[in-house]
Amino acid sequence: GIPGLIMPFKIPSEALTRDFSVMFILTIVFFMMSYGFGGNGRITRIKGAALVASFAAYMLYLGLYSI
């Protein structure tokens, strides 16, 4: 985005592959939840809490084992 235009920087390839794979999997899970595969297509509080918890666990993982 704009910070990259102001001062370009290099992102480690390990970070890109790790972040892309995790976020891609979470996006597929969100898609499956929202389009009703195995349910009515609603994201309930439990499903939303599961998505938020998985994102929080990933952020914790990044904080503890960052490059």
Side-chain angles (χ1 to χ4, degrees):
I2 293 177
L5 290 173
I6 295 171
M7 184 174 180
F9 56 93
K10 186 168 179 131
I11 299 173
S13 63
E14 299 87 18
L16 285 176
T17 56
R18 177 194 60 222
D19 293 342
F20 178 77
S21 60
V22 171
M23 289 300 139
F24 182 75
I25 290 169
L26 285 177
T27 301
I28 295 300
V29 170
F30 177 72
F31 175 79
M32 291 173 59
M33 286 180 180
S34 64
Y35 277 97
F37 298 110
N40 60 0
R42 299 186 77 181
I43 297 180
T44 61
R45 289 182 186 183
I46 293 173
K47 290 179 183 178
L51 286 171
V52 170
S54 63
F55 182 73
Y58 179 63
M59 290 292 116
L60 181 65
Y61 170 77
L62 287 179
L64 294 175
Y65 302 105
S66 63
I67 297 174

